Amino acid sequence: MDIAYIPSPSRGVLYLGPIPLRAYAFCIILGVVAAVWLGSKRWVARGGAKHTVGDIAVWAVPFGLVGGRLYHVITDHQLYFGEGKNPWNAFKIWEGGLGIWGAVALGAVGAWIGCRRRGVPLPAYADAIAPGIALAQALGRWGNYFNQELYGRATTLPWGLEIHKTLPGGEVVNGVFHPTFLYESIWDVAVALLVIWADRRWKLGHGRAFALYVAAYTVGRFWTEWLRIDEAHVYFGLRLNDWTSIVVFIGAVAYFVIVGKKRPGREDPASIDPAAHVEAQEKDGEKGKAETVKPSETVDGSKPSRILDGEPVEKTGKDAENPV
């Protein structure tokens, strides 16, 4: 008898009265928060302002969600269009279906808009946020777990994932399968750590840390995609996302090498974020105010006991006899 050491949840939604709380959405939101938090720390360390990453994410995240959904619907259009299909299901994002390629591509457009508005170079921003994106993907993959989707082939391994669900067509799935969501989640965490380490070791700049993230991620995505058994378009023996991984990997490596030769090192910290200069000026102003000496009166209220505003103070008594 097969024993699943990773049981799937009986449901992926809880109800707070009439309001549904979906685990898939919660995982995505948690991933966004983690990405902004880590990206902000890295951006400040590079010389940027502390609120810049979050302000640009206001543009990047909605664009990324739309892009991810568009990629999924376009590449798996047979699930939503055609005889017996309901096109409105294409809008049910809570049921799963976000393509990372579309999310990154259109999310980059949103980030570019946000960067233009803030006067920030997009490559520098991408380098800072790259490990955070990988961490967000690691957390987001757990949404597939709660939806019982995108699992791999059947397996007898002790870490197999037990699935009990009924597909939209009425087919019942019962068995133990490769937990591809877990494989990719672990891989994404490793990618985030790799980028952080390499960035510290070689001071990657001008988009190279982001290129490293993309290249490393595609390697892991290739083999997890190879394990999956969900419906997908196959060309010359490989799934569409495998071909996409190959093409994107080549592009990322080429960018990493070419930019590394033309523009080694990082951007000048003073040039990446105008808001950082404003923050620095505000801090200097507050510090100056705190250090300003305020007038104080003597006990009898006669005259100040020290020099104020550069004007000499008349000395009396022992002070007059013992000048400093």
Side-chain angles (χ1 to χ4, degrees):
M1 181 174 115
D2 291 332
I3 299 177
Y5 287 87
I6 307 178
S8 287
S10 58
R11 57 180 177 173
V13 57
L14 296 175
Y15 287 90
L16 185 62
I19 302 175
L21 303 176
R22 303 183 184 277
Y24 185 84
F26 177 76
C27 290
I28 293 175
I29 293 171
L30 188 61
V32 170
V33 172
V36 172
W37 169 78
L38 181 56
S40 294
K41 290 180 67 68
R42 287 172 51 79
W43 185 248
V44 171
R46 283 172 175 258
K50 60 182 179 180
H51 298 300
T52 297
V53 168
D55 291 342
I56 296 176
V58 171
W59 289 91
V61 172
F63 273 74
L65 291 175
V66 172
R69 188 60 175 176
L70 280 175
Y71 181 89
H72 167 72
V73 172
I74 291 172
T75 57
D76 290 306
H77 57 84
Q78 73 282 356
L79 301 176
Y80 307 101
F81 305 100
E83 186 178 354
K85 302 297 182 181
N86 183 1
W88 287 107
N89 289 337
F91 295 95
K92 296 180 179 179
I93 192 172
W94 56 87
E95 292 183 355
L98 287 175
I100 183 60
W101 314 116
V104 172
L106 207 54
V109 174
W112 176 78
I113 295 173
C115 286
R116 290 273 295 180
R117 292 170 62 89
R118 302 274 303 193
V120 168
L122 179 60
Y125 178 83
D127 284 338
I129 201 70
I133 297 176
L135 184 58
Q137 290 174 246
L139 294 170
R141 275 304 175 195
W142 283 85
N144 301 138
Y145 165 72
F146 287 103
N147 278 1
Q148 297 193 58
E149 61 184 0
L150 305 185
Y151 44 85
R153 305 168 189 169
T155 182
T156 57
L157 292 171
W159 56 81
L161 174 66
E162 187 176 17
I163 297 292
H164 296 292
K165 65 179 296 185
T166 301
L167 301 178
E171 180 185 354
V172 178
V173 178
N174 287 306
V176 180
F177 304 87
H178 278 284
T180 50
F181 85 92
L182 180 61
Y183 297 161
E184 187 166 332
S185 182
I186 294 173
W187 182 265
D188 290 338
V189 172
V191 169
L193 295 176
L194 170 65
V195 174
I196 292 173
W197 171 80
D199 192 26
R200 290 179 177 175
R201 175 67 176 80
W202 288 290
K203 307 296 182 184
L204 302 177
H206 305 286
R208 288 196 298 152
F210 185 81
L212 176 61
Y213 143 71
V214 172
Y217 170 74
T218 55
V219 173
R221 179 58 184 266
F222 184 89
W223 68 267
T224 56
E225 188 74 23
W226 178 74
L227 284 173
R228 280 166 46 172
I229 58 174
D230 55 296
E231 186 177 359
H233 298 288
V234 176
Y235 303 96
F236 303 104
L238 291 178
R239 292 161 63 99
L240 174 61
N241 282 327
D242 276 332
W243 285 112
T244 305
S245 295
I246 293 172
V247 172
V248 174
F249 173 82
I250 294 173
V253 171
Y255 180 93
F256 186 91
V257 173
I258 294 172
V259 173
K261 290 181 178 180
K262 290 185 174 181
R263 308 185 72 181
R266 284 183 185 169
E267 299 85 350
D268 180 2
S271 68
I272 65 171
D273 192 353
H277 301 294
V278 176
E279 284 189 358
Q281 291 173 356
E282 290 177 350
K283 288 182 179 179
D284 290 341
E286 292 175 358
K287 183 178 179 181
K289 291 180 181 179
E291 293 178 350
T292 300
V293 179
K294 296 182 179 180
S296 61
E297 294 183 343
T298 58
V299 178
D300 60 2
S302 56
K303 289 186 178 181
S305 59
R306 54 181 181 239
I307 299 176
L308 301 175
D309 298 328
E311 296 182 0
V313 177
E314 181 181 349
K315 297 182 180 181
T316 59
K318 292 184 179 180
D319 289 339
E321 296 175 359
N322 299 292
V324 177

